[in-house]
Amino acid sequence: LKREALLNETVAAGYIERHWPPAFKESGAWPLSTLRQSFLNGSLTRLVDPDKALREKIVDFVAKGEFGLASGEKPDGSFERVWFEEPVSRDEVTFEAGLFLLTKAKAKALKAASHLDPTVVNPPPVAATPPPSVIPPQPDLPSAEGPKTVRLHGSVPPELWNRLGTKIIPKVKAKGEVEIRLELIATVPAESVAALKEELHEILQELVLTEKMHVL
């Protein structure tokens, strides 16, 4: 397969440019989940390890300015965060909904727009750190009170679900006991509700969670 170029270790920027899907040409943004799937279903050349190869090459593409990377798509077509001609961590490159590979032209346009309106691609800057106090720091004293409860709540974008589990849960578990309560709200067509509930019941049975979780 390798001799016939049907199986490769890596992929070049030019190959991706030549095979950019017509459906994403106008937007200039190719979802990473769809990009990865194209290397798995035979639409594009097959890779020995697609996840590893794409993650490493996307980091390289972005740093060299061959492509851009974006997350947090907004209704007007802009993004909350854009990387282009700059280092990007491999941890940022995930193949979940909400992450996009950008053409060079699209990334340049978004970066240019950010100079006029920084909120187009980046969140507001963090306030500057105040100057150090002239009062010498006091040593921490052991608290005489008992354990306290720390609660974390709010909505999380789908593209951050995995990172939330790998970064936050180990951090709080190392400090004490952790209890996680799940509330998942899905909006689906009325005709799909019954089938979805049945599938969710089967999954809970497989995970032995029917006594702790309920489908409403």
Side-chain angles (χ1 to χ4, degrees), residues 1-199:
L1 290 177
K2 288 184 178 180
R3 285 198 300 269
E4 297 177 4
L6 298 177
L7 182 66
N8 295 282
E9 295 283 349
T10 186
V11 63
Y15 180 84
I16 294 179
E17 288 177 352
R18 292 192 301 274
H19 293 82
W20 197 274
F24 304 131
K25 280 189 179 296
E26 183 177 353
S27 67
W30 190 348
L32 291 195
S33 57
T34 305
L35 173 66
R36 173 181 179 272
Q37 186 61 29
S38 297
F39 285 96
L40 294 175
N41 61 18
S43 300
L44 299 179
T45 184
R46 295 190 180 276
L47 297 172
V48 176
D49 187 342
D51 288 13
K52 180 176 182 292
L54 289 175
R55 186 172 285 112
E56 290 178 351
K57 293 305 295 184
I58 288 172
V59 168
D60 187 51
F61 293 156
V62 173
K64 292 180 178 179
E66 295 173 309
F67 290 105
L69 180 69
S71 67
E73 185 177 20
K74 298 180 181 179
D76 63 358
S78 61
F79 296 88
E80 293 180 359
R81 182 73 170 91
V82 170
W83 294 265
F84 182 64
E85 293 184 326
E86 62 187 279
V88 57
S89 170
R90 291 184 63 205
D91 294 338
E92 299 286 356
V93 183
T94 62
F95 303 99
E96 302 172 355
L99 276 171
F100 299 82
L101 186 70
L102 304 178
T103 62
K104 185 176 183 178
K106 179 71 171 182
K108 276 188 172 181
L110 288 172
K111 280 294 189 180
S114 70
H115 292 305
L116 301 176
D117 181 4
T119 64
V120 170
V121 296
N122 293 321
V126 178
T129 304
S133 171
V134 296
I135 302 175
Q138 300 296 319
D140 293 334
L141 298 177
S143 174
E145 300 180 5
K148 297 291 185 180
T149 299
V150 176
R151 297 181 184 274
L152 180 67
H153 66 89
S155 61
V156 180
E159 63 268 20
L160 297 180
W161 290 346
N162 283 353
R163 295 186 63 197
L164 184 73
T166 58
K167 289 182 176 293
I168 290 183
I169 293 177
K171 176 71 67 175
V172 294
K173 188 171 177 57
K175 302 293 184 180
E177 297 296 324
V178 181
E179 179 183 10
I180 299 177
R181 294 180 178 271
L182 175 65
E183 181 183 20
L184 187 151
I185 301 174
T187 303
V188 299
E191 62 271 17
S192 304
V193 171
L196 178 59
K197 285 186 175 181
E198 182 62 29
E199 292 175 359

